[in-house]
């Protein structure tokens, strides 16, 4: 299919790399107009140019509220509205509860936690002006199960899972016609994971299917959640993990 997102305008945070990039590409392929928001302007500008006239880049640090406000203004100025926000920007973790430095804890909470909250807050405030739509929060299997070497990541992803349900319930109560859901990827081949061959090997051995996923496996779920096909889903968790959390 090539038209599942006709007439949709989406803002994808962390759109310059990995899963966010795959989502932006697939959204354009399905007929959407897409803004890629990222702190990495060099890569973001390049990718947006490659995607053509239905894509744009906006400089966005998800931890800064004024940058979210400006990003929405820019998207609406160019494409006329906004229907979909994918809160995807995030960073990884390699610390356990004993050795996590406070500086890194504060950084990961700001990006993976506060960044998702701000994107959801301003997503609701803007999308409701255009008849409703969908907010998709990139969580993780680590919003469902723990990993000893990722204490900050687990804290933030656990929080995103329930913050999303709170926002979904609010939007339903207020009849805003905005659905808010989480996607929970297992380990996926991206620049967050691939530079650590030991991690890739470990997670291959822990994944029942015996291999990591591709960014497109997650982008396919995002297309479903961005489209009207998912009109009865809100506050829900969508897992694609090669069987990881079935164990
Ligand atoms: P990635 O490192 O390839 O991409 C992350 C993007 O986020 C980069 O373009 C980066 O510049 C951007 N970013 C980082 N900090 C930012 C900030 N403050 N403001 C705006 N942009 C910022 O990572 P990825 O693997 O594609 O991860 C994307 C999302 O998927 C993350 O939320 C991650 O936690 C989640 N996830 C990834 C995996 C995996 O195995 N790769 C598994 C589960 C969940």
């Amino acid at each position: 299919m090539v038209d599942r997102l006709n007439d949709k305008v989406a803002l994808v945070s962390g759109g310059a790399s990995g899963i966010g990039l795959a989502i932006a590409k697939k959204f354009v392929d399905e007929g959407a107009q897409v803004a890629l928001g990222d702190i990495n302007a060099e890569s973001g500008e390049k990718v947006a140019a490659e995607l053509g006239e239905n894509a744009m880049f906006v400089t966005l640090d998800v931890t800064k509220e004024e940058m979210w406000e400006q990003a929405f203004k820019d998207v609406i100025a160019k494409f006329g509205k906004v229907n979909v926000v994918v809160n995807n920007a995030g960073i990884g973790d390699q610390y356990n509860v004993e050795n996590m430095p406070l500086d890194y804890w504060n950084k990961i909470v700001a990006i993976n936690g506060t960044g998702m909250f701000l994107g959801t807050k301003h997503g609701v405030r803007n999308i409701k002006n255009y008849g409703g739509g969908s907010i998709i929060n990139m969580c993780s299997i680590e919003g469902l199960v723990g990993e000893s070497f990722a204490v900050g990541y687990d804290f933030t992803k656990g929080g995103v899972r329930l913050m999303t349900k709170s926002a979904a319930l609010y939007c339903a109560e207020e009849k805003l016609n905005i659905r808010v859901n989480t996607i929970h990827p297992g380990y996926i081949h991206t620049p967050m994971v691939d530079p650590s061959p030991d991690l890739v090997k470990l997670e291959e051995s822990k994944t029942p299917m015996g291999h990591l996923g591709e960014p497109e496996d997650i982008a396919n779920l995002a297309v479903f959640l961005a489209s009207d096909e998912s009109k009865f889903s809100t506050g829900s968790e969508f897992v694609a993990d090669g069987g990881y959390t079935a164990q």
Side-chain angles (χ1 to χ4, degrees):
M1 283 205 260
V2 289
D3 58 0
R4 291 163 73 197
L5 300 179
N6 272 355
D7 298 328
K8 305 283 191 215
V9 175
L11 171 56
V12 181
S13 77
S17 173
I19 292 172
L21 174 54
I23 289 172
K25 280 187 177 157
K26 212 164 264 283
F27 277 18
V28 169
D29 286 350
E30 292 288 352
Q33 292 174 303
V34 180
L36 297 82
D38 208 291
I39 41 169
N40 186 343
E42 194 186 334
S43 169
E45 296 275 14
K46 185 168 166 275
V47 168
E50 284 165 10
L51 288 177
E53 60 181 14
N54 287 325
M56 67 182 285
F57 175 74
V58 288
T59 302
L60 173 66
D61 178 342
V62 293
T63 68
K64 305 269 190 311
E65 187 153 29
E66 66 278 9
M67 292 190 89
W68 276 108
E69 287 165 348
Q70 189 59 47
F72 278 106
K73 276 186 196 153
D74 292 348
V75 175
I76 291 161
K78 181 156 169 86
F79 293 134
K81 59 176 184 169
V82 63
N83 315 108
V84 177
V85 173
V86 185
N87 287 302
N88 163 81
I91 59 170
D93 188 356
Q94 51 183 346
Y95 296 108
N96 63 49
V97 67
E98 277 203 276
N99 69 12
M100 165 63 86
L102 184 57
D103 281 358
Y104 197 77
W105 175 269
N106 287 334
K107 181 176 177 180
I108 200 166
V109 169
I111 297 173
N112 291 14
T114 307
M116 293 263 168
F117 155 66
L118 289 173
T120 307
K121 172 181 175 179
H122 290 280
V124 172
R125 283 187 173 187
N126 282 279
I127 290 172
K128 72 179 183 185
N129 298 328
Y130 299 98
S134 174
I135 298 176
I136 302 164
N137 290 337
M138 199 55 64
C139 199
S140 170
I141 49 172
E142 291 178 36
L144 303 168
V145 295
E147 188 87 85
S148 60
F149 54 80
V151 66
Y153 193 82
D154 290 0
F155 178 81
T156 58
K157 296 298 182 180
V160 165
R161 179 172 155 259
L162 282 180
M163 183 273 290
T164 299
K165 293 184 195 297
S166 171
L169 293 172
Y170 169 78
C171 291
E173 281 165 15
E174 297 295 316
K175 306 213 179 317
L176 299 180
N177 193 30
I178 301 174
R179 296 169 293 102
V180 197
N181 293 287
T182 42
I183 292 181
H184 300 256
Y187 281 84
I188 306 295
H189 284 296
T190 73
M192 182 183 279
V193 172
D194 287 347
S196 312
D198 289 350
L199 178 64
V200 171
K201 227 168 150 187
L202 172 70
E203 298 304 341
E204 281 171 351
S205 75
K206 288 167 72 176
T207 303
M209 283 185 169
H211 60 84
L212 272 56
E214 302 297 331
E216 291 70 27
D217 296 325
I218 306 307
N220 287 331
L221 271 181
V223 169
F224 170 71
L225 288 174
S227 79
D228 300 338
E229 295 162 24
S230 57
K231 66 184 169 54
F232 196 49
S233 295
T234 198
S236 295
E237 301 158 14
F238 292 80
V239 179
D241 68 353
Y244 197 107
T245 52
Q247 299 172 100

